[in-house]
Amino acid sequence: MNDRFEDNNTQNTDQGTDQNIDQNIDQNIDQNIDEMSFEQMLDAYDSKIGREFKPGDMVEGQIISIGENSVYLDTGTKSDGVMDKSELLDENGEFQYSVGDILKLYVVSLSESEVILSKAVSGAGMAAMIEDAYRGHTPVEGRVTGVVKGGFSVDLLGKRAFCPVSQIDVKYVESLEDYEGQTYHFLITRYEEKGRNIVVSRRDLLNEQIREERTAFMKELAEGDTVQGKVTKLMSYGAFVELAPGVEGMVHISELSWSRVEKAEEVVRVDDILPVKVLKIEKPLSDSPKISLSVKQTSGNPWDNIGTTFSTGDQVSGKVVRLTSFGAFVEIAPGIDGLVHISEMSHVKRVLRPEDEVGVGQTVQVMIKAIDMDSKRISLSMKDASGDPWTGVLTKYPVGSVVEGILEKKEGFGLFIRLEPGITGLMPTSNLRQSAEAGKFESLKPGDAAPVLVQDVDEDNRRMTLAPPDQKSSDNWKQFAKSAKGASSFGSMESILRAALEKTK
């Protein structure tokens, strides 16, 4: 059934090993004979006799045995194929094939007992095979010998060939010198003047290989899968990730992280290897499948555990990630943003624009006021985290005490005087009129300092009434102190007038 089995000396380098292989193959054949009828064996043999190869032909062969240095294949003819095992080693020098695997190979030469096969036409053949390789679209092994204008000089079985720079690789070539001295497989795209003008391409072979690998990969890929990918390019709207040769997907910027991302480079870099989840596949079997990916969905949603992480009343630090006209969004954990409303920014002053208080990227201390799990919203406060200056103000500024204040603003009904940031009192015009020092206060300018008398304090309503210090020595300050203990307050012009009228009765 097989001429090679009749002569164990056909292999040239490893006779002992090959003899053992022959014996194993013969044993397999004997077992198969027991299971086949004579008529079936005769038909199989006759079908093989009718098939013939010539150098340069492509062959699909099934591995039937693996030796130390050689691999044997069933070519579908009466003669088995043989090739060097080293041709099938991967980039790490490992042999990844097994008996039964199908390989696409090329015929280098033939004999009565065997067919010499190779992944490409190489030095094992003759230079005369170059034209046959060109006509048969057969890969040929060549060595890049130098860089020339527009491309590379390639030694092709002793013949000089030219490879344009655009045809040496599928990617952009940055350094031509990196390819010099390397041996590759090429397709001959032009053969003229009896071999004096030969043009070759490696790109076509790589594209064919990529198409095969892409097809195999896409048959296995499904929506919902999590796979490893390599970041190849960053754009303003996201990042492109290579999943396999010729298979690329896009991660939209909103899917890069649970945190708010303004630029892709904030999260990933080119050449990063990272896990991605396949969200959607469009045109899976086309040359350019459209694949939507997500990086953030490879990890859990941070909102799922927020109940065990944060509680109302907690004080935490966060980063300002976005400003709006009504407040600032602060990230208190990756993917967890809360809103500090403009009214919650300061106790000490009225904030008109959030950007006057904070900037994007700034770290601030906030207190959690409310958590809405259904809407995934968190209300935050900056002013509550820093403390309310009005808390305990009556103890700090007791009625009747004289303290120094700074004029903030003059109005027709009185002067606004700040005792400390967040604590501002009103000195009504009626109080000034009763003072011998009225002229002194009327001459003050915003920012000037002056002593004042604390006349009344309403901590609940955050109001304080002030008077010139000379009123402390008059009878007036006693009634002011008395009113501070009662229910009424001298926080308005009406209350001051009422007190004055009662005094005259």
Side-chain angles (χ1 to χ4, degrees), residues 498 500-505:
R498 184 183 297 113
L501 290 172
E502 288 178 355
K503 181 180 177 183
T504 59
K505 291 181 181 178

Side-chain angles (χ1 to χ4, degrees), residues 221-296:
L221 190 67
E223 294 179 1
D225 287 353
T226 297
V227 295
Q228 291 287 116
K230 180 180 179 181
V231 179
T232 57
K233 186 166 54 175
L234 300 180
M235 303 296 288
S236 60
Y237 49 82
F240 286 90
V241 177
E242 183 184 58
L243 307 181
V247 181
E248 199 170 58
M250 200 273 284
V251 183
H252 190 268
I253 193 168
S254 63
E255 291 293 333
L256 283 171
S257 173
W258 291 108
S259 300
R260 190 178 300 276
V261 178
E262 297 293 337
K263 297 180 180 179
E265 50 265 35
E266 296 175 5
V267 183
V268 294
R269 297 179 181 179
V270 172
D271 293 333
D272 280 355
I273 306 295
L274 41 76
V276 291
K277 183 176 180 179
V278 180
L279 301 181
K280 189 175 182 181
I281 303 175
E282 297 180 21
K283 302 178 182 178
L285 299 181
S286 67
D287 288 342
S288 55
K290 185 177 179 181
I291 306 174
S292 299
L293 305 171
S294 173
V295 173
K296 74 179 187 181

Side-chain angles (χ1 to χ4, degrees), residues 421-436:
I423 304 294
T424 298
L426 172 65
M427 183 179 291
T429 302
S430 59
N431 282 359
L432 282 173
R433 291 172 181 170
Q434 298 179 30
S435 172

Side-chain angles (χ1 to χ4, degrees), residues 337-381:
D337 293 354
L339 172 65
V340 179
H341 192 268
I342 193 169
S343 63
E344 293 292 333
M345 287 191 162
S346 176
H347 274 305
V348 301
K349 62 181 177 180
R350 183 183 178 190
V351 179
L352 300 178
R353 301 191 311 164
E355 53 267 34
D356 293 339
E357 293 299 305
V358 294
V360 173
Q362 180 179 342
T363 299
V364 295
Q365 192 75 13
V366 294
M367 189 186 82
I368 298 175
K369 293 180 69 71
I371 299 175
D372 186 342
M373 291 295 296
D374 295 332
S375 301
K376 289 184 170 53
R377 294 179 180 177
I378 298 180
S379 298
L380 303 174
S381 174

